[in-house]
């Protein structure tokens, strides 16, 4: 039986591949359950410091929920509003305390768009495209797209995408701030691994707490976010000794000299 989610771990980086290329990596119930199991295992694996999420093949990152499955099974549409991470792939990804880089290799449509938005950083292949077709399918988003997208690219641009269902090409997605950068298809995973390797060089406990701080603040108002930062910063920084700061400063300077 084909594994619906492939995992490869090397040098502290886990590459997770949604593996239904014949169905544009659609998020079937079985695939969602498998993704939850994989992300839970990677979160608990101390050898893993960063995760890359991508899709098999070149056509799709993921086309979202499996519409054939939704149309054939009574009650299957409840997956669009699933509260549990074993059914909701966005929650499965967001429950990982390690940075998750989305390597968008093709189309990310509707629920697949929501899965992409669950990642911490997005790198897109030049043939990647994004579309929110919720309105055309007649399903209200339940995995966060209606709120996240406008906060990332602006409310007018988000409404244009959601009210038309039109595709957004990779270059425009980069210009709008949806993805961090666009690379040639053959460079997608190498670029994602390069960034993941830089993240893997940070203390994992510190990185997990920093990710939590950013995510909690992003979900709050600016004032609330600053209060969260002050509270966590005051507690954490008081435990850092001057000797530790000096040692880390020297390491940062040495690393800086190797970068362009």
């Amino acid at each position: 039986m084909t594994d619906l989610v492939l995992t490869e771990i090397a040098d502290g980086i886990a590459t997770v591949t949604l593996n239904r290329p014949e169905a544009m990596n659609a998020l079937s119930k079985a695939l969602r359950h498998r993704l939850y199991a994989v992300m839970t295992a990677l979160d608990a694996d101390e050898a893993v410091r960063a995760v890359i999420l991508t899709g098999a093949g070149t056509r799709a990152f993921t086309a979202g929920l499996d519409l054939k499955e939704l149309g054939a099974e009574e009650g299957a549409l409840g997956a669009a509003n699933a509260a549990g991470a074993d059914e909701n792939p966005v929650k499965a990804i967001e429950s990982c305390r390690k940075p998750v880089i989305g390597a968008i290799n093709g189309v990310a449509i509707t629920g697949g768009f929501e899965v992409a938005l669950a990642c911490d950083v997005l790198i897109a292949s030049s043939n990647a495209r994004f579309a929110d077709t919720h309105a055309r399918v007649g399903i209200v988003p339940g995995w966060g797209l209606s709120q996240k997208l406008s906060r990332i690219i602006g409310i007018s641009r988000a409404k244009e995408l959601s009210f038309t269902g039109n595709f957004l090409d990779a270059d425009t997605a980069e210009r709008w701030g949806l993805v961090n950068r666009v690379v040639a298809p053959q460079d997608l995973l190498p670029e994602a691994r390069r960034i993941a390797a830089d993240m893997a060089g940070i203390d994992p406990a510190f990185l997990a707490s920093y990710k939590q701080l950013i995510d909690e603040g992003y979900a709050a108002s600016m004032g609330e976010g600053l209060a969260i930062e002050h509270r966590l910063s005051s507690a954490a920084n008081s435990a850092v000794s001057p000797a530790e700061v000096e040692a880390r400063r020297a390491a940062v300077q040495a690393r800086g000299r190797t970068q362009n």
Side-chain angles (χ1 to χ4, degrees), residues 153 157 168-180 182:
I153 66 174
R157 286 170 170 167
L168 183 72
D169 65 85
D171 288 337
T172 305
E174 181 183 29
R175 192 170 69 249
W176 285 8
L178 178 64
V179 304
N180 292 53
V182 177

Side-chain angles (χ1 to χ4, degrees), residues 18-251:
L18 306 177
N19 189 36
R20 293 186 72 206
E22 75 287 351
M24 298 183 72
N25 301 317
L27 302 167
S28 65
K29 182 176 182 179
L31 187 150
R32 298 195 308 274
H33 284 187
R34 177 64 181 143
L35 179 63
Y36 168 68
V38 167
M39 296 305 294
T40 300
L42 294 178
D43 181 66
D45 189 343
E46 294 183 358
V48 174
R49 295 195 166 198
V51 179
I52 297 169
L53 179 66
T54 193
T58 59
R59 295 174 61 208
F61 173 66
T62 169
L65 281 172
D66 190 329
L67 296 183
K68 289 184 179 179
E69 189 174 82
L70 294 186
E73 295 184 14
E74 189 68 30
L77 189 55
N81 301 102
D86 60 332
E87 286 277 1
N88 185 328
V90 166
K91 289 192 175 183
I93 295 164
E94 291 177 341
S95 67
C96 183
R97 292 166 293 177
K98 297 158 187 182
V100 178
I101 298 170
I104 313 302
N105 55 301
V107 296
I109 306 172
T110 311
F113 200 168
E114 299 195 84
V115 167
L117 294 179
C119 299
D120 298 300
V121 171
L122 291 182
I123 309 299
S125 162
S126 56
N127 60 10
R129 295 191 298 162
F130 302 85
D132 175 18
T133 62
H134 279 99
R136 292 197 173 275
V137 178
I139 298 174
V140 178
W143 294 344
L145 183 144
S146 69
Q147 302 304 304
K148 290 179 182 177
L149 188 60
S150 62
R151 286 164 168 79
I152 295 171
I153 66 174
I155 190 168
S156 295
R157 286 170 170 167
K159 285 179 177 178
E160 177 185 338
L161 290 182
S162 297
F163 296 172
T164 64
N166 291 343
F167 276 98
L168 183 72
D169 65 85
D171 288 337
T172 305
E174 181 183 29
R175 192 170 69 249
W176 285 8
L178 178 64
V179 304
N180 292 53
R181 67 204 65 179
V182 177
V183 297
Q186 67 271 19
D187 296 329
L188 180 62
L189 286 179
E191 179 67 6
R193 291 188 184 108
R194 184 188 68 79
I195 296 170
D198 285 342
M199 293 179 177
I202 304 295
D203 176 78
F206 186 93
L207 202 58
S209 64
Y210 206 167
K211 173 177 173 174
Q212 182 180 8
L213 170 59
I214 293 173
D215 287 345
E216 287 185 1
Y218 187 76
S221 68
M222 175 63 80
E224 291 169 333
L226 290 173
I228 293 170
E229 180 192 75
H230 178 74
R231 173 171 53 82
L232 295 179
S233 177
S234 298
N237 291 346
S238 63
V240 180
S241 71
E244 288 174 314
V245 173
E246 177 58 26
R248 292 166 186 167
R249 181 187 66 83

